[in-house]
Amino acid sequence: MNESQQPERSISKVVIQLMKGVLYQERQADLWGDLLILQGAVRDYLAVIGLALIIDETEGYAFLRQASDEGDAAEETADMPRLISRRSLSYPLSLLCVLLRRKLAELDAEGGETRLILSRNQVVDMMRVFMPEGKNEARTVDQINTQIRKAMELGFLRKMSGDETRFEVRRIIKALVDADWLKDLDQRLTEYKAYADENS
């Protein structure tokens, strides 16, 4: 392979990884380095197919969004077919995401530790307050465990290796629950509590 083909190959590798999902600095250091060096070319390549590159260098992750979801590019790409489907989150899953994001904000405010590790019991206790009250406690715990699995599938939680009962909260959750959401957090949690009370 000659030198002129090398950047194209690197761009292709980065784009393919981004199309598969989130690119993490800690897991894919070589691709992350290529992304930072070639991000202009990667952005140009993705813009042709209506995608926007989102990079958070501080937190060490990058992912793709539909360009029509981004402010300035929205008009230009509004008539393009969607490559990235939108997912609406159920009440319990959105509640879990908001609570995890709040815990992450608390950790960041304290300073020091950068990884948030929670036990399954901590997550269950956090959510139980906002879940509709039922007579069957085991069923409530099963419902919360289902939401934990969904959060793992979406990449917001990662099971700690060798320990089925502990999870790392992935910082990508900050992209879903942003600072504006966080400002309104108390109001949202009040709404979630009211929803739980109505459905109990």
Side-chain angles (χ1 to χ4, degrees), residues 56-108:
D56 188 325
E57 289 187 50
T58 306
E59 301 295 353
Y61 62 78
F63 63 97
L64 301 179
R65 271 203 181 130
Q66 196 73 33
S68 58
D69 297 340
E70 297 296 305
D72 294 342
E75 274 185 43
E76 297 169 23
T77 59
D79 61 340
M80 292 185 80
R82 290 191 74 82
L83 285 174
I84 299 175
S85 59
R86 289 185 179 177
R87 294 182 187 175
S88 60
L89 303 182
S90 65
Y91 158 74
L93 185 53
S94 62
L95 169 64
L96 175 58
C97 290
V98 166
L99 293 172
L100 293 174
R101 178 65 176 93
R102 182 168 80 170
K103 279 286 191 193
L104 199 54
E106 289 168 2
L107 179 79
D108 290 345

Side-chain angles (χ1 to χ4, degrees), residues 15-82:
V15 168
I16 289 167
Q17 179 56 49
L18 287 165
M19 296 291 270
K20 288 180 177 180
V22 180
L23 193 159
Y24 290 102
Q25 178 182 11
E26 67 184 51
R27 279 204 226 151
Q28 299 133 319
D30 290 344
L31 283 178
W32 180 261
D34 289 344
L35 171 63
L36 295 183
I37 292 166
L38 302 166
Q39 67 178 286
V42 171
R43 284 183 196 282
D44 291 345
Y45 180 90
L46 292 166
V48 171
I49 56 174
L51 297 177
L53 173 63
I54 311 298
I55 301 175
D56 188 325
E57 289 187 50
T58 306
E59 301 295 353
Y61 62 78
F63 63 97
L64 301 179
R65 271 203 181 130
Q66 196 73 33
S68 58
D69 297 340
E70 297 296 305
D72 294 342
E75 274 185 43
E76 297 169 23
T77 59
D79 61 340
M80 292 185 80
R82 290 191 74 82

Side-chain angles (χ1 to χ4, degrees), residues 24 27 87 93 96-97 100 120 145-160 163-164 166-168 170:
Y24 290 102
R27 279 204 226 151
R87 294 182 187 175
L93 185 53
L96 175 58
C97 290
L100 293 174
R120 186 178 298 276
N145 282 329
T146 298
Q147 302 315 312
I148 290 172
R149 282 192 297 278
K150 287 179 181 175
M152 288 173 59
E153 288 167 15
L154 291 172
F156 299 137
L157 285 175
R158 180 174 68 181
K159 197 177 290 183
M160 300 297 288
D163 190 344
E164 296 286 312
R166 296 172 70 228
F167 305 92
E168 178 184 359
R170 304 305 309 264

Side-chain angles (χ1 to χ4, degrees), residues 111-123:
E113 187 61 44
T114 57
R115 293 175 70 199
L116 175 59
I117 311 295
L118 296 172
S119 70
R120 186 178 298 276
N121 288 341
Q122 286 175 301
V123 176

